[in-house]
């Protein structure tokens, strides 16, 4: 599956992956305006007010479609020109391997609705485009493998509602961790994950700053 760069709408959230030797970082941003089929102006959520330079490093560009499918463009370029960051790519984006989709650590209160419609207060441990895990500190859920459940939580003005099936159970000393694969996602999940990643900005090495 491929995606044309020109199919990305202005204002869409994006992720830039930066590789400089053994240093690996990621940065959140948005498409401002498509200039042509392979060039767009972008905004970057940077941890500094300085202009960033991207010389001597490899850049990958990720866009997460509205249906949750991530697309990857490798060997992208970013330059600062006339008060804007300009992103240039080559060719179409390819579907990103879902096995390495970003997993965001949360550890926040949530509700889990079991198949019998009972609702339980739990902690959501992490979430990605393909799965989520929860923590049952009371050890009262008693879920079985392949059992379905609906997770609901609120964060950053988002309401995330996901249905998944249980694929792994991990017993801890004081809790039980349940891992689910998502069977029914929600429209806001890609945007939520992208913005959550951007909210945890990595400190950039000095070599990134002009």
């Amino acid at each position: 599956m491929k995606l044309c760069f020109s199919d990305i709408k202005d204002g869409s959230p994006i992720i830039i992956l930066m590789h400089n030797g053994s240093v690996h970082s990621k940065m959140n941003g948005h498409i401002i305006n498509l200039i042509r089929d392979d060039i767009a102006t972008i905004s970057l959520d940077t941890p500094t007010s300085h202009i960033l330079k991207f010389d001597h490093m490899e850049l990958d560009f990720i866009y997460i479609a509205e249906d949750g499918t991530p697309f990857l463009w490798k060997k992208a370029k970013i330059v600062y020109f006339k008060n804007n960051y300009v992103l240039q790519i080559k060719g179409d984006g390819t579907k990103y391997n879902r096995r390495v989709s970003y997993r965001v650590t949360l550890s926040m209160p949530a509700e889990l609705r079991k198949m019998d419609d009972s609702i339980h207060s739990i902690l959501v441990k992490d979430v990605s485009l393909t799965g989520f895990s929860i923590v049952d500190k009371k050890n009262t859920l008693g879920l079985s493998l392949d059992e379905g459940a609906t997770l609901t939580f609120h964060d950053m003005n988002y309401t995330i509602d996901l249905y998944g099936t249980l694929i792994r159970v991990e017993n801890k000393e004081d809790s039980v961790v349940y891992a689910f694969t998502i069977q029914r996602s929600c429209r806001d999940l890609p945007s939520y994950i992208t913005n959550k990643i951007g909210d945890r900005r990595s400190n950039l090495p000095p070599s990134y700053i002009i």
Side-chain angles (χ1 to χ4, degrees):
M1 182 184 296
K2 294 186 177 182
L3 181 73
C4 293
F5 187 65
S6 58
D7 289 335
I8 302 176
K9 298 178 181 179
D10 293 350
S12 296
I14 60 174
I15 300 169
I16 302 297
L17 305 180
M18 299 170 288
H19 315 287
N20 187 7
S22 61
V23 178
H24 303 281
S25 303
K26 56 181 175 285
M27 187 179 299
N28 191 46
H30 289 80
I31 297 289
I32 296 177
N33 182 45
L34 186 71
I35 298 176
R36 66 185 200 197
D37 289 347
D38 61 345
I39 294 179
T41 56
I42 62 173
S43 64
L44 294 175
D45 297 334
T46 68
T48 174
S49 59
H50 293 80
I51 297 172
L52 304 182
K53 62 179 180 179
F54 299 91
D55 300 334
H56 311 299
M57 68 176 67
E58 293 185 4
L59 301 178
D60 297 332
F61 159 63
I62 294 176
Y63 164 70
I64 302 174
E66 291 183 353
D67 66 355
T69 302
F71 289 90
L72 172 70
W73 284 260
K74 297 186 73 68
K75 296 184 178 180
K77 294 181 179 180
I78 297 177
V79 296
Y80 192 78
F81 181 72
K82 292 186 177 180
N83 298 319
N84 283 299
Y85 288 104
V86 179
L87 170 69
Q88 182 174 14
I89 55 86
K90 291 183 178 179
D92 295 336
T94 56
K95 184 178 178 182
Y96 201 31
N97 188 342
R98 286 181 173 269
R99 290 175 296 178
V100 293
S101 60
Y102 285 107
R103 184 169 297 275
V104 178
T105 301
L106 298 175
S107 189
M108 66 175 55
E111 288 186 345
L112 191 79
R113 182 187 293 271
K114 297 175 61 176
M115 295 298 292
D116 61 5
D117 284 336
S118 61
I119 299 176
H120 303 262
S121 296
I122 50 90
L123 288 177
V124 54
K125 182 174 181 285
D126 52 50
V127 66
S128 73
L129 292 173
T130 59
F132 61 86
S133 64
I134 64 169
V135 178
D136 176 20
K137 288 187 173 293
K138 298 179 181 179
N139 196 12
T140 57
L141 288 177
L143 295 168
S144 302
L145 292 177
D146 297 324
E147 186 172 349
T150 300
L151 173 72
T152 303
F153 66 93
H154 309 276
D155 186 29
M156 298 177 67
N157 294 319
Y158 289 91
T159 296
I160 304 300
D161 189 74
L162 308 169
Y163 175 78
T165 54
L166 183 63
I167 58 172
R168 187 174 69 254
V169 179
E170 186 177 354
N171 291 291
K172 303 284 189 177
E173 290 185 2
D174 58 349
S175 62
V176 181
V177 177
Y178 295 96
F180 293 78
T181 182
I182 294 175
Q183 302 296 333
R184 186 190 70 241
S185 187
C186 66
R187 182 183 180 89
D188 287 338
L189 182 61
S191 176
Y192 170 71
I193 289 177
T194 301
N195 282 287
K196 198 70 176 178
I197 292 171
D199 199 45
R200 300 173 179 181
R201 301 163 185 167
S202 302
N203 290 324
L204 298 180
S207 60
Y208 291 178
I209 300 173
I210 294 177

